[in-house]
């Protein structure tokens, strides 16, 4: 009953997920790989006993030995592969973004609705992080009343030179966008982007940090400080303020050292350190669900909504205005949580 | 060498300061009292050996046995008493606000400038809180680089029924306004007020919580969540985000209890519990300075600026717009810190 | 390359490990089961596709389809099964205790030494806990100097009615005994047991809590508060005091809630909640090592030493005296870490 | 109604208390000073307007202008001055130790009992520390059940070269001895001293750290790690373990800084930083009580008991044995708390 997974895209994240499927998790194996760089795909396949190499994602999806598909290729290619999986009736785990345009996401949603069942899970791994889950549990327990605000910080220590302010929205804040929708089980109604003082560490012409304001349809206001030159570490923080109390993510240091006049604890160095366990949990949930003949987790609708909100965020960033978010109607397929 | 202090206004806050001068601090005594309610003033005076009762603030200020004056009367009366103190050449400690209008504050500044020396200290006690001082020390140490943002929360557990949204700005957020100016040694350039989902605990027609955005002239952005129906306690939080690191206020619980599946620590019940020590430190600093023939602490200019920013905040609250703050020129008298 | 694991003993802990091997970890499957209660074994086997049922541990160990063995049977039976595994040249993971008497442990050590290679891993899972690993990393980093003391608390919320003071040593403190040996890479030279005030929650005639003092051969002193009626939760604490600083385990709460005048975080309810992840990591390390043709982790020597120290602890508990620990000579097989 | 205090002994601690009485607290002034070094006393007196200089402690005590006395001279002289104060019917605040021998303390107790009222307060300032008070409040609240154990650490960063192991008992652990008696409202029945590995920072022939075990008559066991070469800071820690929960002192850092991969907070540099506020509170309580015609705080009995327990501690240190503590009968005068 081992799940045979085909992997499309074996770059850094793809290889990390292959390691996870192969060495860490239960119930799955990598049965097939492909990549736009076939030599790279061949090198990866050579290390995976029994894995087949495929000339294209379409070929891999069609292969009878592939039970389910993992899409970790370049964002603009996601739509094609996800649609092919739906057409083939195969479960697919697609790393974020589901697709890079609102229209592409809509086509995926439409295809899945036409198929009549969920086949797509999108890789928003924070939903599987123990800290975020404890936070959501507090919010939904009713112990602290109805939510009013959320404060979040998303700090990357540094980024490659090609990183732009747009990517702060699309690559960083997109996680906070998904968290907000999931935490409050609600859609985002409008986005505004504020520009604080620019860090001297930011590349020329680059606005960093940003403050992204998300207005939920309920009126809950979420402010997200997103920065990619935070220098001191990878620090993800959050606090939900409710009518009777608040809940915030705890620090993650495993030990507290006292030395030289101070007590101190480690801040994670990067997203791998911070979210390694969440990735494991997320993938195991997918393997278990797919093996059981179903799917789970963030849906194509969640991927669609995230992309639409990011588009609004980019418009807000460039215009300086508050940009309303206009979503299509949510199909029945996605109405149950 | 005991400083003889005259107290104008013996309501709740006035009586608390009288207790402080009488029972807690060194080097001062209450020598004279007055109040709009003379009976109340008489009752207070009767408990203070040697204290004289005065029919009016003006009479008290003029009394030869009064070395310095404490103004804790109703806000709209502050201007008159502070101006009289300046005219009399007597040091005055005025509880916030310095005065209730921009014009009144300007008249005080003008009078003090004409006097050629500082005679006014305004009661922004957070500058004397050990946690805020540790935060400022970290910011000014250079260890964490140039400041970019500040996040603040100002949560009151509840308020009397007469409290309004305007008072969230004037009575609560005014402290955060002063903190921002002091923390960054900079003026506020613009104010915006956001309205999250309204708490069901808020009185009808009352916007609570608010998020007040302060833009410093340097570009540093300060977001202040201000709420007066936070229910769970009096919670004052702050984090300054700089280029190389951050600094945040610590929790204030003295002991951590483990019980019934949880560890827990106390949140202060009210501002007295949270800032009792800051009030002591603030007043002792004033007594010491006045005894030494000078003054210290927040100046008339700080009082003026706070009132002008609050005015902008009220305009921002009612209009929903970003309101620029236009200050007059800062006189030389206030240029040294 | 899936490792076929035979499981001897399918009680609570055995079934938990079967779940782990089957549903959580990578690279292993349960290929065979047995139990003193064959009906129970049959029920378990029926849920494991392809698993064979064996009438005895010896039969299971001899089965050609079993690559490696997991011993989770009743402690007094461990010796027999571990010796059989060594005789069969099969890797064995034995839950603590390795064996219930010093002599039995010695026989296992002798057999393994005679075999000339390590075949035994003992289940001291704390060595795989992220918090303990961070602590050990700090101690061995040299940043805080040479170790002088360790303070530990081992608190169980409650225990079944058959639990005795002896079991506080053998079942609870045995983990702290192993941690001390591992943390300082040193043996324990003497044990003393102190009896504080007896908890009213303890069963009649039962000493609880105890303080177990462990003297390392280096002189480092370890004090372990062990209690099994701590009521409020399962709380494992530790602090190592070194010449230049200290290191302590952090709290494990994922989120901090503020409510009703307090901030609070969750204390784990039991050892499963606290150490679930450590068990996973421990087992995966074993699977990976065995698959690679070797073993890892706590050795038969560690199991032997723990049993000898526990014996000293029991003598110390009953006599009220300081009891020296006399270990045999450590064979070369166990000299490398 | 200012209290005129005479100060005997104007060394470091005496001058610090003079500063406190003069510049910080309310209701008292230094009216008279003396010291074994009269030149030093004269220099101090010259800075205190209106203070008289006295050739001896006895002369100062007898002076009509002295309402109450502060004894901060060398320990062996305390008995003489405290007895003289009792004879003169003047309230006296005596820094610890009350006296350096059991017999001397007994004579003070006898004299005070003969006088028929409390005249002596001993300077155990931890009883006035906000953290210890929060801890005691939790213990006495009943919320966490009956106490069973207390863990304490008392770490000094470094000591002068003349410091000895005996002084770890008499100068450092004496505070923990008083805390234990006060926390549990109970006497100490026996003392044992353990010697962990010796720090390489300790002077030759010097045992440091020590672990002092205090057995309360109730059976509560208190373990105190006392070290005077802890290097990293002045760190005072404590945890009381009760039947239903625990309570521990919180960290004292005012702000948490994140920088260079870590979050961190300040550990106090010395006892002044850690207990400055406790000293203020303690002294103000004394001034207020004396002004009201009574006294308060740690009594001569507390001073007596601390000295007797220290004697047992020294015997335990030198003998390696458990030493019972034998107190005389507690006079009625000290029976109410």
């Amino acid at each position: 009953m081992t799940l045979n997974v085909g992997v499309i895209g074996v770059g850094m994240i793809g290889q990390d997920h292959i390691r996870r499927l192969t060495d860490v998790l239960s119930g799955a194996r990598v049965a097939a790989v492909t990549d736009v760089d076939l030599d790279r795909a061949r090198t990866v396949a050579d290390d995976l006993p029994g894995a087949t190499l495929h000339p294209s994602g379409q070929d891999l999806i069609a292969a009878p030995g592939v039970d389910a598909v993992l899409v970790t290729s370049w964002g603009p290619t996601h739509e094609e592969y996800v649609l092919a999986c739906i057409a083939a009736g195969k479960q697919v785990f697609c790393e974020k973004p589901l697709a890079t345009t609102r229209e592409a996401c809509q086509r995926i949603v439409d295809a899945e609705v036409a198929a009549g069942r969920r086949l797509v899970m999108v890789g928003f791994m924070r939903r599987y992080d123990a800290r975020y889950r404890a936070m959501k549990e507090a919010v939904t327990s009713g112990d602290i009343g109805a939510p009013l605000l959320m404060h979040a910080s998303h700090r990357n220590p540094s980024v490659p030179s090609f990183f732009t302010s747009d990517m702060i929205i699309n690559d960083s804040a997109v996680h906070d966008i998904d968290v907000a929708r999931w935490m409050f089980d609600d859609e985002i109604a409008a986005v505004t982007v504020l520009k604080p003082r620019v860090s001297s560490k930011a590349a020329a012409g680059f606005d960093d940090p940003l403050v992204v304001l998300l207005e939920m349809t309920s009126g809950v206001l979420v402010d997200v400080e997103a920065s990619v030159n935070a220098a001191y570490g990878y620090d993800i923080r959050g606090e939900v303020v409710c009518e009777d109390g608040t809940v915030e993510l705890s620090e993650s240091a495993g030990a507290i050292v006292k030395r030289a006049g101070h007590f101190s604890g480690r801040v994670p160095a990067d997203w791998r350190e911070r979210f390694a366990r969440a990735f494991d949990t997320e993938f195991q949930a997918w393997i278990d669900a797919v093996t059981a003949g179903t799917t789970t987790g963030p849906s194509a609708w969640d991927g669609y909504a995230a992309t639409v909100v990011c588009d609004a965020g980019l418009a807000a960033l460039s215009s300086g205005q508050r940009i309303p978010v206009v979503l299509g109607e949510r199909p029945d397929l996605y109405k149950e949580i």
Side-chain angles (χ1 to χ4, degrees), chain A residues 98 112 118 120-122 127 296-304 334:
Chain A
L98 174 62
E112 202 180 31
R118 279 197 53 194
V120 181
M121 173 167 169
V122 182
R127 298 190 184 198
T296 188
S299 69
W301 178 260
D302 295 316
Y304 162 80
Y334 308 109

Side-chain angles (χ1 to χ4, degrees), chain A residues 225-268:
Chain A
E225 172 213 326
S227 60
V228 294
N229 290 286
Y232 73 91
Y234 180 77
D235 204 11
I236 302 298
R237 312 192 63 196
E239 182 188 27
V240 178
V241 181
C242 298
E243 292 193 351
D244 292 311
T246 69
V247 54
E248 62 186 310
L249 305 175
S250 69
E251 295 291 347
S252 61
I256 305 297
V257 169
K258 292 186 169 181
R259 187 173 166 279
H262 291 82
F263 63 85
S264 73
R266 183 174 168 81
V267 172

Side-chain angles (χ1 to χ4, degrees), chain A residues 3 5 17 32 47-48 64 75 89 104 155 157 166 171 188 192 224-225 238 301 320 322:
Chain A
L3 185 72
V5 177
H17 286 344
D47 279 346
L48 294 167
R155 298 175 190 145
D166 281 10
D171 272 26
I188 293 166
T192 310
V224 181
E225 172 213 326
W301 178 260
R322 174 185 180 276

Side-chain angles (χ1 to χ4, degrees), chain A residues 296-314:
Chain A
T296 188
S299 69
W301 178 260
D302 295 316
Y304 162 80
T307 294
V308 173
V309 175
C310 281
D311 283 354
L314 295 178

Side-chain angles (χ1 to χ4, degrees), chain A residues 86 88-91 111-120 293-295 333-334:
Chain A
I86 294 172
K90 292 190 179 179
Q91 292 284 349
E112 202 180 31
V113 167
R117 62 182 178 120
R118 279 197 53 194
L119 290 157
V120 181
T294 176
T295 193
L333 182 62
Y334 308 109

